Amino acid sequence: MPVFSFNDTLLLATVLFSVGLAGVLVRRNMIFMLMSLDIMLNAAALVFVGAGARWHDAAGQVMFLLILALAAVETAVGLAIILCLHARGRPTLDADTGNLLQG
């Protein structure tokens, strides 16, 4: 089993975070924006796991579990909001039409 150095872990996390940030900034579909936020959270979790492995501390794995729970809650709440907006007759999932909400 190959062992990755801490620098390789940071490089991978940076690439993942950059891809997620680009997805949030470029894409306007709310589903894709939620997926991009999850990618960014996974990148942050990867840094914690890499740091925990580097310094032989279990706190990195604990933080990973907390970030994983946060990502699950964020996805559930985000999808619930999207479904509520779609059920009220919003024809598109485009984030730019959010200023058209009334009431």
Side-chain angles (χ1 to χ4, degrees), residues 13-98:
T14 303
V15 169
L16 281 175
F17 194 85
S18 300
V19 167
L21 184 64
V24 169
L25 294 177
V26 173
R27 301 294 289 217
R28 293 288 89 195
N29 190 337
M30 285 191 277
I31 300 288
F32 285 111
M33 290 174 78
L34 276 176
M35 289 182 356
S36 298
L37 283 174
D38 282 338
I39 290 173
M40 292 168 64
L41 284 172
N42 284 331
L46 181 63
V47 170
F48 279 111
V49 169
R54 167 76 167 92
W55 288 292
H56 306 292
D57 191 11
Q61 282 79 14
V62 172
M63 286 302 297
F64 171 75
L65 290 175
L66 291 174
I67 290 173
L68 194 65
L70 176 74
V73 169
E74 174 257 334
T75 301
V77 170
L79 285 176
I81 290 171
I82 289 170
L83 285 175
C84 284
L85 290 174
H86 190 66
R88 289 187 182 194
R90 190 171 180 182
T92 181
L93 294 177
D94 190 15
D96 290 333
T97 61

